[in-house]
Amino acid sequence: MFTVYPAIDLIDGKCVRLFQGDYDQSTVYGDAPVDIARSFYEQGAEWIHVVDLDGAKAGHPVNQELIARIAAEVPINIEVGGGIRTIKTVESYLNQGIKRVILGSSAISDPEFCRLALQRYPDAIAIGLDVKDGKVAVRGWLEVSDMSAADLAKQLIIEGAEHFIYTDISRDGALKGANVSGAEQLADEIGKPVVVSGGVTTFDEVQKLVNNKRVSGAIIGKALYTKQISLGDVMKAVKN
């Protein structure tokens, strides 16, 4: 089953999009994220992908209260990333009705925490593989590690990881199309389908992804806000 994840990225409680992960190149698309989430739900979305960009930078949740409000007020599945570095934070989000939390930086900086989270909540953990020139970026994309996405994913599969999100940072917010070949290569290397993120731009692109056995879903951000993709049209195509 292919899943479409419309994206909400949060800075200072506002819905923004960054260009290639650059905090200095952000565009505000709304100051009412709850209303945006409700709009996505009304257009047929079953999931939303929420990133606490302030949290990613700070290393701890900053917009958690707002994200909890979205969960309380909109009947939609939510996955959350950004600044999730402790098991207490994982449990706090899950207790607030969040269905899945995304671990990125911590998979490298604190493998013991990541291992514990996967052991306790395997179905509720997604691993965010944010890639720059083949290597995994960390700390809100502010630093690049020495580890390849495939090597990190293989290590985490041993610990129980099932859900992976592949983001090519160079495509994110650039409206140039997703790096599908990179996602496919990763899926082949780890033996699991991945969710593709970063640069999904057109309806045709999503339609092609729906039948791609190595891609289990797509996160769509800027193209929705700039009206280059209609979420309603995409959801109808996915469900037919």
Side-chain angles (χ1 to χ4, degrees), residues 87-161:
I87 202 73
K88 185 178 175 184
T89 301
V90 170
E91 291 172 344
S92 175
Y93 269 126
L94 296 179
N95 289 336
Q96 289 172 321
I98 303 305
K99 288 287 186 277
R100 193 182 292 154
V101 296
I102 303 160
L103 305 184
S105 300
S106 61
I108 289 176
S109 64
D110 191 351
E112 191 55 47
F113 153 61
C114 198
R115 191 176 298 123
L116 178 62
L118 285 167
Q119 285 171 356
R120 285 196 190 174
Y121 309 104
D123 290 333
I125 304 293
I127 304 299
L129 299 167
D130 303 330
V131 180
K132 195 170 188 177
D133 301 323
K135 304 294 185 183
V136 177
V138 295
R139 281 196 65 238
W141 301 353
L142 298 173
E143 297 173 9
V144 179
S145 72
D146 293 326
M147 186 167 279
S148 78
D151 287 346
L152 178 59
K154 286 174 189 172
Q155 286 181 17
L156 295 173
I157 286 168
I158 294 168
E159 305 298 337

Side-chain angles (χ1 to χ4, degrees), residues 2 180 184 193 207-217:
F2 187 86
V180 178
E184 290 173 335
Q207 274 197 309
K208 286 177 188 165
L209 288 172
V210 170
N211 298 313
N212 189 326
K213 299 297 182 205
R214 290 174 285 186
V215 177
S216 60

Side-chain angles (χ1 to χ4, degrees), residues 16-35:
V16 307
R17 299 305 299 170
L18 303 185
F19 178 74
Q20 297 181 345
D22 186 347
Y23 282 73
D24 293 327
Q25 295 189 66
S26 67
T27 304
V28 176
Y29 283 102
D31 56 7
V34 176
D35 292 343

Side-chain angles (χ1 to χ4, degrees), residues 178-191:
N179 183 355
V180 178
S181 62
E184 290 173 335
Q185 183 180 341
L186 176 63
D188 286 340
E189 287 187 57
I190 68 175

Side-chain angles (χ1 to χ4, degrees), residues 13-58:
K14 297 183 173 69
C15 184
V16 307
R17 299 305 299 170
L18 303 185
F19 178 74
Q20 297 181 345
D22 186 347
Y23 282 73
D24 293 327
Q25 295 189 66
S26 67
T27 304
V28 176
Y29 283 102
D31 56 7
V34 176
D35 292 343
I36 291 170
R38 188 175 291 111
S39 164
F40 289 156
Y41 167 71
E42 289 168 352
Q43 292 175 76
E46 296 176 355
W47 280 85
I48 53 172
H49 171 86
V50 179
V51 179
D52 180 353
L53 288 172
D54 293 315
K57 206 172 184 179

